């Protein structure tokens, strides 16, 4: 196997199915680790793809293929094939769980086929590896990737300033080789430096000496695959953290009922909406896993229902808090403005409760160890009617989606 350059190297975003009999290289890593920057660098100075972000939220929200122009691979039988880079959403993202990332990758591979190489990106500036980063490393190691097809790419060398920073980075690079990835290196993997230049990106690709074809089985988290316990535990952590964050935000909003700050309340309300969306996604992926993997004694349906119930109860409590605050305000001219503001916020609070209650109802009957939830918020006849229609429609939709 060798690589052939036929001109100036560039990158072309590829839409649609990646052709068969092509070299595919999947880029994996945590959010902000440099995957998209690698593609940008490979594109050269004349191209601006606008795909790199550098924040805690993944700039890459879906799996996206890119065709490498003017570099091809020559196989041992002398056939020549184009090269495609497959960019993926980042692990350890602030909003997207590992379960969602893995599901997106697997869906793409089911449609497009397997991989020949994997580049795992990590920041050389992260001399201390967090717990979430260790979990991602374990996920990569348990994917059953053919070892000689895995390249660990250390990034952010261009962000180092001063001798001390360079010494720390060099020391961390040695740790990557001699400790963290030692087991995989013995089996044929490698660790390389990416200097955020086109030449460095080209060398990272063209110095690959071996490869191994890999299907999507390692990303099958809906079976009891080796990565399932890691994905499951991470999802539970996210759900627990989100519930705690939600409680804090809801408490803050309740306090603002007595100490108004409209700008701060708008911020809290927006954060709650984002958090609720994340929670719904996490619960959806948790339920998709079905049962907990070996070693984790967790009832999936009970956990999911408890989360939905917590959100519903908190939303209901906030409605009552608004009602109580409004009722307790003395009817004097100086309170007219505040009464009007609270009166205007009450429908929004009710809508939030109804939305949470809908999700609880769509879930279905409460598990046996729960009492059936009966709302204390009075709903109008129209609200009850539209809620029932919505719930039944969503339940039928979910049933039709089941295989």
């Amino acid at each position: 196997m060798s690589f052939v350059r036929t001109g100036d190297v560039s990158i072309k975003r590829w839409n649609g199915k990646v052709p068969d009999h092509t070299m595919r290289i999947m880029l994996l890593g945590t959010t902000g680790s440099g995957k998209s920057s690698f593609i940008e660098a490979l594109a050269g100075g004349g191209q601006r793809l606008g795909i790199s972000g550098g924040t805690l939220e993944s700039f890459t929200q879906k799996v996206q293929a890119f065709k490498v122009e003017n570099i091809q691979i020559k196989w041992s039988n002398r056939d020549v094939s184009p090269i495609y880079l497959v960019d993926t959403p980042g692990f350890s993202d602030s909003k997207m769980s590992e379960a969602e990332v893995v599901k997106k990758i697997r869906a793409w591979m089911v449609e497009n086929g397997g991989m020949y190489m994997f580049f795992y990106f990590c920041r050389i500036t992260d001399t201390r590896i967090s717990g979430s980063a260790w979990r991602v490393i374990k996920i990569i190691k348990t994917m059953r990737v053919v070892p000689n097809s895995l390249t660990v790419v250390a990034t952010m060398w261009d962000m180092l300033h001063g001798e001390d920073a360079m010494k720390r980075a060099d020391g961390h690079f040695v740790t990557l080789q001699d400790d963290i990835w030692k087991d995989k290196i013995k089996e044929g993997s490698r660790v390389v430096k990416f200097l955020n230049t086109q030449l460095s990106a080209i060398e990272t690709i063209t110095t690959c000496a071996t490869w191994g074809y890999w299907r999507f089985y390692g990303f099958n988290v809906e079976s009891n695959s080796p990565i399932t316990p890691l994905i499951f535990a991470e999802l539970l952590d996210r759900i627990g953290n989100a519930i705690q964050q939600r409680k804090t935000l809801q408490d803050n909003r309740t306090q603002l009922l007595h100490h108004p700050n409209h700008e701060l309340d708008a911020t809290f309300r927006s954060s709650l909406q984002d958090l609720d969306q994340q929670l719904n996604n996490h619960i959806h992926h948790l339920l998709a896993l079905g049962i907990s993997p070996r070693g984790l004694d967790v009832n999936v349906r009970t956990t999911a229902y408890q989360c939905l119930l917590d959100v519903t109860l908190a939303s209901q409590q906030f409605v009552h808090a608004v009602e109580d605050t409004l009722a307790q305000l003395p009817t004097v001219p100086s309170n007219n403005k505040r009464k009007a503001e609270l009166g205007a916020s009450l429908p929004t609070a009710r809508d939030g409760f109804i939305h949470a209650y809908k999700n609880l109802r769509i879930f279905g009957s409460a598990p046996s160890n729960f009492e059936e939830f009966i709302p204390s918020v009075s709903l109008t006849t129209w609200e009850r009617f539209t809620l029932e229609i919505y719930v039944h429609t969503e339940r039928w939709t979910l049933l039709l989606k089941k295989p």
Side-chain angles (χ1 to χ4, degrees), residues 136-147:
V136 174
I137 290 172
K138 289 180 181 178
I139 289 173
I140 301 301
K141 287 187 175 185
T142 55
M143 277 173 23
R144 296 175 178 169
V145 170
V146 179

Side-chain angles (χ1 to χ4, degrees), residues 66-356:
F66 295 85
K67 184 181 180 182
V68 181
E69 301 282 358
N70 294 322
I71 301 181
Q72 294 181 313
I73 185 170
K74 181 183 286 187
W75 304 99
S76 55
N77 63 1
R78 297 186 178 278
D79 286 345
V80 176
S81 300
I83 299 171
Y84 289 82
L85 301 182
V86 182
D87 196 15
T88 62
F91 289 106
S92 298
D93 184 64
S94 61
K95 292 185 177 180
M96 194 183 306
S97 69
E98 319 298 42
E100 188 172 356
V101 172
V102 168
K103 184 177 180 180
K104 288 184 176 185
I105 293 173
R106 185 178 186 277
W108 190 92
M109 292 183 71
V110 168
E111 181 178 348
N112 291 271
M115 292 291 133
Y116 287 92
M117 295 181 188
F118 291 86
F119 289 176
Y120 174 72
F121 290 77
C122 60
R123 294 179 292 264
I124 199 62
T125 50
D126 292 347
T127 52
R128 293 183 180 180
I129 301 178
S130 65
S132 60
W134 273 116
R135 181 148 49 197
V136 174
I137 290 172
K138 289 180 181 178
I139 289 173
I140 301 301
K141 287 187 175 185
T142 55
M143 277 173 23
R144 296 175 178 169
V145 170
V146 179
N148 59 12
S149 68
L150 175 63
T151 296
V152 178
V153 183
T155 64
M156 306 294 173
W157 293 91
D158 57 316
M159 302 299 291
L160 301 173
H161 302 288
E163 290 186 12
D164 290 343
M166 185 60 72
K167 285 180 180 179
R168 285 193 297 270
D170 286 337
H172 186 49
F173 189 77
V174 172
T175 301
L176 290 173
Q177 291 178 309
D178 296 349
D179 184 12
I180 298 173
W181 295 98
K182 180 180 179 180
D183 54 338
K184 292 299 178 183
I185 289 174
K186 284 183 177 179
E187 297 173 353
S189 301
R190 63 181 187 141
V191 180
V192 301
K193 297 180 180 181
F194 168 56
L195 306 180
N196 203 25
T197 65
Q198 186 184 49
L199 178 60
S200 182
I202 292 171
E203 288 179 347
T204 301
I205 294 173
T206 57
T207 53
C208 293
T210 57
W211 56 272
Y213 189 71
W214 190 86
R215 294 288 290 174
F216 53 80
Y217 308 117
F219 283 125
N220 187 13
V221 296
E222 294 175 11
S223 66
N224 205 20
S225 68
I227 68 170
T228 302
L230 299 169
I231 298 294
F232 193 92
E234 193 268 347
L235 196 53
L236 291 178
D237 286 348
R238 281 186 181 259
I239 290 172
N241 291 336
I243 289 292
Q244 188 58 48
Q245 290 174 38
R246 196 188 191 287
K247 183 180 184 305
T248 300
L249 287 169
Q250 195 76 77
D251 289 346
N252 289 338
R253 285 202 74 198
T254 302
Q255 291 176 15
L256 289 179
L257 293 175
H258 303 284
H259 307 282
N261 184 320
H262 303 306
E263 186 175 337
L264 198 55
D265 184 62
T267 300
F268 289 153
R269 187 169 65 250
S270 176
S271 297
L272 274 170
Q273 290 172 349
D274 289 344
L275 207 52
D276 285 347
Q277 182 61 52
Q278 291 173 44
L279 259 175
N280 286 335
N281 288 339
H282 297 339
I283 291 170
H284 169 76
H285 290 296
L286 183 68
L287 291 170
L289 291 173
I291 59 174
S292 62
R294 296 187 189 94
L296 291 172
D297 186 18
V298 177
N299 186 302
V300 170
R301 286 190 60 80
T302 297
T303 301
Y305 184 83
Q306 183 67 67
C307 293
L308 294 170
L309 180 61
D310 287 345
V311 173
T312 305
L313 287 170
S315 301
Q316 177 175 261
Q317 186 178 13
F318 185 70
V319 172
H320 291 318
V322 175
E323 292 173 337
D324 292 344
T325 304
L326 188 57
Q328 292 167 10
L329 271 179
T331 306
V332 295
S334 59
N335 286 333
N336 287 345
K337 181 181 178 182
R338 184 57 184 153
K339 276 181 172 287
E341 291 172 347
L342 288 170
S345 69
L346 186 56
T348 303
R350 289 176 60 87
D351 287 344
F353 164 72
I354 291 172
H355 180 74

